[in-house]
Amino acid sequence: TVNLRMHFYIIWNFKQYVEEIKKKHIAILGSTGSIGTQALEVIQANPDRFQVEVLTAQNNCDLLIEQAIAFKPNAVVIGNEDHYDKVFDALDRLDIKVYAGENALSSVVQMDSIDLVLTALVGYAGLKPTIKAIESGKPIALANKETMVVAGELVTALAEQYGVNIYPVDSEHSAIFQCLVGEFHNPIEKIILTASGGPFRGKDTNFLKTVTKEQALKHPNWDMGAKITIDSASLMNKGLEVIEAKWLFNLKQEQIEVIVHPQSIIHSIVQFEDGSMKAQMGLPDMKLPIQFAMTYPERIKTDFPRFDFLNYPALTFEQADTKTFRNLALAFEALKQGGNMSCILNAANEVAVEKFLKDEISFLGMSDVVEACMQKVSFVKKPTYEDYVLTDEETRKIAFEHII
């Protein structure tokens, strides 16, 4: 009887081991942000498919601890080293490894047990760990558009060198990717990125002179973090997406078009050389592109709300106003110039948004900062990684000086 029980125990454990092997082990960089929390909702809804391997946060140690207790990852990283003791004390009894600091973030993505790295960090901070993950052969689910904006040429070259796939998570780029499935051999004539227009669609510069951060943070369709929401209000988010699309899909500037679509139902469109167009549609919900990036090439069943045409009798489209919303025009100009200009654009914008959120600069003043930096910061035609680092530092310095 004892031997029989042991036999069943071994079979049960082996079955559990096999099931564990089938799961995709995910590292979520920026797990406490909007994308990170929604990714965890996807994982929680599909426990047979995913296992959380790594969670990271910069400052939100309380939520990081809560997530780690719920999902029991192999390791966590808290970027702000001042919070290390608190996180360690909370998780040590659970046998969860705790690390701290920027270098730890770049090291942890190289763990052999990771199957996919979801880069959901905000801003320039996502570049270095994404590069380290690629160099370790890890597929990337990319929600950090700044990685491609700052160093798209370098990142795509590394992905090709190491044979790594980059799956876009942004709703617009996911839409393009979904439209291209089964079409990768067919040349693209152009892509059309759709923009909601943000909370200030149709407003003129006189109105924008006095808008507050509270007004700018009220996005009509999407629930996002503060930085991305402000970028959406200024159309910088769409400008960054234009640059990201160029590198993700190997496009020329003239192949990328932006059109305002206030309902945010059509997430983007691909037009092929024969004139045929494909669009990906659905209700605004980031969990769908997150899940698609995590399960590709499969589509798995969800209980997400479904789109009903009868609830949207009219889908409308408008030309983007690049004169009023200068950030979009500046992004196209950065793309045209190439080199490190997009890195300059991104760093200046990050400083400008931070200052706007602190009420230290006006809404329209953000574009002034970006334009000034694009004129003053040293231009490098063929930048290396070290050039990007120096460009980011120089731009932030000049941006701060311009604001003061």
Side-chain angles (χ1 to χ4, degrees):
T1 305
V2 174
N3 287 337
L4 189 61
R5 268 203 225 110
M6 182 59 71
H7 175 68
F8 281 126
Y9 176 78
I10 292 171
I11 291 175
W12 181 81
N13 273 276
F14 179 73
K15 181 180 178 183
Q16 195 175 43
Y17 173 72
V18 170
E19 289 299 315
E20 188 72 13
I21 288 177
K22 288 180 182 178
K23 292 182 183 181
K24 188 175 288 187
H25 290 237
I26 312 289
I28 303 179
L29 310 186
S31 64
T32 59
S34 176
I35 296 295
T37 54
Q38 291 179 83
L40 288 173
E41 289 178 28
V42 172
I43 291 171
Q44 191 171 40
N46 298 278
D48 57 326
R49 287 181 170 268
F50 304 114
Q51 171 67 39
V52 177
E53 191 67 14
V54 174
L55 296 173
T56 84
Q58 180 61 27
N59 286 301
N60 195 344
C61 58
D62 291 330
L63 182 53
L64 180 65
I65 290 168
E66 182 182 321
Q67 291 174 341
I69 291 171
F71 290 91
K72 297 179 175 57
N74 186 352
V76 302
V77 178
I78 181 70
N80 187 336
E81 297 182 33
D82 292 340
H83 299 313
Y84 173 79
D85 289 340
K86 181 176 181 178
V87 177
F88 179 84
D89 291 343
L91 301 180
D92 182 46
R93 60 186 174 81
L94 299 176
D95 197 28
I96 297 172
K97 302 178 186 72
V98 179
Y99 305 105
E102 180 185 340
N103 291 334
L105 187 62
S106 296
S107 296
V108 77
V109 295
Q110 302 176 55
M111 289 169 49
D112 291 338
S113 53
I114 295 172
D115 297 315
L116 179 74
V117 175
L118 171 59
T119 307
L121 297 167
V122 176
Y124 175 81
L127 177 59
K128 185 177 178 181
T130 301
I131 287 176
K132 291 299 181 182
I134 290 172
E135 290 175 343
S136 298
K138 309 297 183 187
I140 306 294
L142 188 64
N144 173 257
K145 61 177 63 67
E146 291 86 353
T147 290
M148 285 300 190
V149 172
V150 170
E153 187 171 10
L154 173 64
V155 171
T156 51
L158 286 172
E160 184 175 355
Q161 177 183 343
Y162 289 94
V164 167
N165 289 326
I166 299 177
Y167 304 109
V169 171
D170 269 345
S171 62
E172 295 81 2
H173 302 90
S174 176
I176 296 165
F177 180 51
Q178 292 180 59
C179 290
L180 289 176
V181 172
E183 300 274 9
F184 293 115
H185 59 293
N186 288 320
I188 297 172
E189 185 168 295
K190 70 176 179 179
I191 65 163
I192 301 171
L193 295 172
T194 57
S196 70
F200 306 134
R201 179 176 65 89
K203 304 299 184 182
D204 60 19
T205 52
N206 285 331
F207 177 89
L208 296 178
K209 285 177 182 177
T210 58
V211 299
T212 65
K213 66 183 178 186
E214 288 78 17
Q215 290 173 294
L217 287 169
K218 293 180 180 178
H219 194 281
N221 299 331
W222 295 96
D223 180 16
M224 305 175 291
K227 198 269 182 183
I228 298 175
T229 304
I230 298 300
D231 281 346
S232 180
S234 72
L235 288 196
M236 178 58 88
N237 194 50
K238 203 54 51 181
L240 300 179
E241 288 173 3
V242 166
I243 299 169
E244 182 183 11
K246 182 259 188 297
W247 295 113
L248 281 174
F249 304 108
N250 191 27
L251 300 170
K252 298 176 182 177
Q253 180 178 336
E254 55 268 25
Q255 291 178 286
I256 307 171
E257 184 179 327
V258 173
I259 192 165
V260 174
H261 168 49
Q263 296 81 23
S264 296
I265 296 301
I266 295 177
H267 299 302
S268 277
I269 303 165
V270 177
Q271 182 170 308
F272 298 95
E273 286 192 330
D274 62 355
S276 178
M277 304 175 83
K278 279 188 174 182
Q280 189 267 329
M281 303 173 63
L283 294 173
D285 187 344
M286 280 306 302
K287 289 195 290 293
L288 197 151
I290 291 169
Q291 178 172 293
F292 187 74
M294 289 167 57
T295 63
Y296 180 82
E298 292 183 81
R299 289 187 184 273
I300 63 176
K301 186 174 177 59
T302 73
D303 59 359
F304 303 158
R306 267 38 177 181
F307 170 75
D308 185 342
F309 277 97
L310 298 181
N311 293 331
Y312 293 84
L315 299 179
T316 60
F317 306 91
E318 307 164 9
Q319 186 173 359
D321 182 359
T322 55
K323 290 185 178 179
T324 303
F325 297 90
R326 292 160 49 214
N327 280 348
L328 181 56
L330 290 171
F332 271 107
E333 179 60 27
L335 182 58
K336 179 181 178 181
Q337 292 192 38
N340 66 335
M341 191 56 72
S342 293
C343 181
I344 297 169
L345 174 96
N346 179 75
N349 181 64
E350 287 190 13
V351 172
V353 171
E354 178 187 347
K355 292 299 184 181
F356 175 70
L357 287 170
K358 292 179 178 178
D359 299 316
E360 297 177 15
I361 189 175
S362 69
F363 184 82
L364 292 178
M366 291 190 290
S367 298
D368 295 335
V369 172
V370 174
E371 187 171 30
C373 288
M374 289 175 67
Q375 293 171 354
K376 294 179 180 179
V377 177
S378 306
F379 178 70
V380 181
K381 185 63 178 175
K382 295 288 184 182
T384 62
Y385 174 76
E386 289 72 22
D387 289 323
Y388 290 126
V389 173
L390 292 174
T391 296
D392 184 80
E393 292 175 354
E394 181 186 356
T395 304
R396 290 174 192 275
K397 181 176 181 292
I398 291 176
F400 279 115
E401 289 174 352
H402 182 84
I403 293 169
I404 293 170

